[in-house]
Amino acid sequence: MELKSRVEQLPPDLDRVARASLGQLGDIRIDDVLAFIDRGLENMPSYMDLYRRWETQQWAVSDLDFTVDREHWLQSSDFEREVTLWGRRLFFNGEERVTATLAPFVWAAPKPEIELFLSTQMVDEARHTIFFDRWWREVVGTDAPDMETLLREVRPDVNEGYDTLFYDRLPGTAQRLASNPRDVDAFIEGITIYHIVVEATLALTGQRFELESMRQLELTHHGFYQGFTAVARDESRHVNFGVKVLQEAVREDPERFAPLIQRTLVECLPLISGTIEPPDPRYYSEYGRSEEELLEFAMNSLNNRLRAIGINLAA
């Protein structure tokens, strides 16, 4: 039975990542974290395996030290600050948006194990939001008296793809679930947007390139690196969960759910490219990256998830 207590066996390299403390995450590469997802695609963990990973992988934002981050910030050029703020604005507002829209998914969970895991994800997303709030206050600095004011201040400049995804599609689906928790089609569409588009394709792509850039710049001792790696490890659980939900749906009723997932993805693809398009191409080129490189990684990651679900992108 799903609820039967057992210990998930992981290879030594993955077990090292799974059990790493917050301080030890400074020695962990993002690709090692992403290996959790790849292994999950080959040997799908149960919902309770993912719940137990959550129990093992707890961390506290209050344990992070941003002292060296602040020193580095004060020594950074205006351009370096501009680039950093652009990316972290996307993440900060994005984390708050996914936190605010997750509750209806819990209400609509079709089985208790899914409800339990989604409840842990709500805690994760709230912690991620607090992580960015604390980084902003202690590293960048702000006079904002509360988080609502700060979020308004740092909301990304007009970005149609980002706005549509986080302020229209995701909350719209959440509202459908809030109005009718038994709307299975809305639940599957929401999991596709939340876990496959936002987390598996957008968030983990951004995290990978941000953390690899910090590693190349020898900034892995920063509190942000440790915390953001912990965020990515949380996201690896969420993505495995989303793949599992959609995989089960497609196996249960492929004629109903495969076209729904495919259609949702096709509608969201322009939003993905719109979100990662920087206001200045130098935001990528000055760090040896390109928008095309990020898109290629994002699409490769998406296709890997879809193969595990049992569908392809074409309808």
Side-chain angles (χ1 to χ4, degrees):
M1 293 176 61
E2 179 78 28
L3 286 172
K4 183 179 180 181
S5 178
R6 66 182 181 85
V7 177
E8 182 187 16
Q9 298 297 317
L10 293 171
D13 56 333
L14 294 186
D15 191 65
R16 169 176 170 264
V17 178
R19 298 183 181 278
S21 66
L22 199 54
Q24 291 168 339
L25 286 174
D27 296 323
I28 300 293
R29 293 190 63 171
I30 180 59
D31 284 346
D32 296 329
V33 176
L34 297 180
F36 267 122
I37 301 176
D38 295 333
R39 179 186 184 277
L41 301 182
E42 300 168 1
N43 184 18
M44 187 63 68
S46 71
Y47 295 120
M48 294 311 295
D49 284 334
L50 294 171
Y51 172 83
R52 283 184 282 269
R53 284 189 197 174
W54 176 79
E55 285 191 338
T56 301
Q57 296 169 356
Q58 291 301 299
W59 60 283
V61 176
S62 58
D63 288 340
L64 292 167
D65 184 352
F66 290 120
T67 303
V68 294
D69 303 61
R70 175 62 177 172
E71 294 172 355
H72 184 265
W73 178 262
L74 294 174
Q75 297 168 6
S76 298
S77 68
D78 289 343
F79 178 76
E80 289 169 336
R81 293 184 185 184
E82 184 181 316
V83 175
T84 300
L85 290 179
W86 174 71
R88 296 185 188 178
R89 282 177 176 179
L90 296 175
F91 273 105
F92 189 7
N93 277 267
E95 293 291 359
E96 188 278 331
R97 288 287 78 209
V98 297
T99 304
T101 54
L102 190 55
F105 288 80
V106 181
W107 308 337
K111 61 174 78 173
E113 296 88 349
I114 291 178
E115 177 185 325
L116 290 170
F117 181 81
L118 284 170
S119 298
T120 71
Q121 187 170 344
M122 288 185 68
V123 177
D124 288 341
E125 305 299 1
R127 177 168 49 210
H128 301 170
T129 306
I130 293 294
F131 166 68
F132 279 97
D133 179 82
R134 185 169 169 229
W135 179 83
W136 219 282
R137 293 180 184 281
E138 297 185 23
V139 178
V140 180
T142 176
D143 293 327
D146 52 43
M147 189 183 295
E148 182 179 9
T149 305
L150 179 57
L151 284 164
R152 283 200 303 267
E153 288 182 2
V154 307
R155 180 170 173 174
D157 295 333
V158 177
N159 181 315
E160 187 174 354
Y162 185 92
D163 283 353
T164 301
L165 187 57
F166 286 96
Y167 292 88
D168 182 11
R169 286 300 300 261
L170 190 58
T173 304
Q175 184 58 53
R176 286 171 58 196
L177 289 174
S179 301
N180 181 11
R182 293 185 177 86
D183 188 341
V184 178
D185 283 9
F187 184 76
I188 295 303
E189 179 182 330
I191 293 292
T192 303
I193 296 172
Y194 198 122
H195 293 80
I196 305 304
V197 175
V198 171
E199 294 196 310
T201 308
L202 271 176
L204 285 175
T205 296
Q207 287 162 354
R208 181 180 186 270
F209 283 90
E210 172 82 4
L211 289 166
E212 277 299 289
S213 294
M214 291 187 72
R215 177 170 287 278
Q216 292 170 5
L217 293 170
E218 299 183 345
L219 304 178
T220 58
H221 60 297
H222 283 209
F224 185 87
Y225 184 93
Q226 296 170 4
F228 207 37
T229 303
V231 169
R233 186 172 62 180
D234 289 345
E235 305 286 14
S236 74
R237 293 193 305 273
H238 306 167
V239 171
N240 275 153
F241 164 83
V243 170
K244 183 174 180 65
V245 169
L246 298 183
Q247 183 187 76
E248 290 181 345
V250 169
R251 288 176 178 176
E252 175 187 332
D253 193 341
E255 292 185 1
R256 177 183 181 184
F257 293 119
L260 172 60
I261 297 168
Q262 290 166 328
R263 182 172 63 252
T264 303
L265 290 170
V266 168
E267 291 171 354
C268 289
L269 284 180
L271 308 180
I272 294 172
S273 58
T275 297
I276 69 171
E277 181 180 2
D280 184 334
R282 292 183 304 150
Y283 284 15
Y284 290 143
S285 62
E286 289 294 313
Y287 296 89
R289 307 291 189 188
S290 68
E291 184 179 343
E292 292 73 23
E293 181 184 3
L294 266 73
L295 269 177
E296 181 180 5
F297 181 86
M299 291 302 102
N300 286 339
S301 297
L302 173 59
N303 285 321
N304 287 339
R305 314 307 182 236
L306 297 185
R307 281 192 291 272
I309 292 168
I311 62 175
N312 54 44
L313 197 53

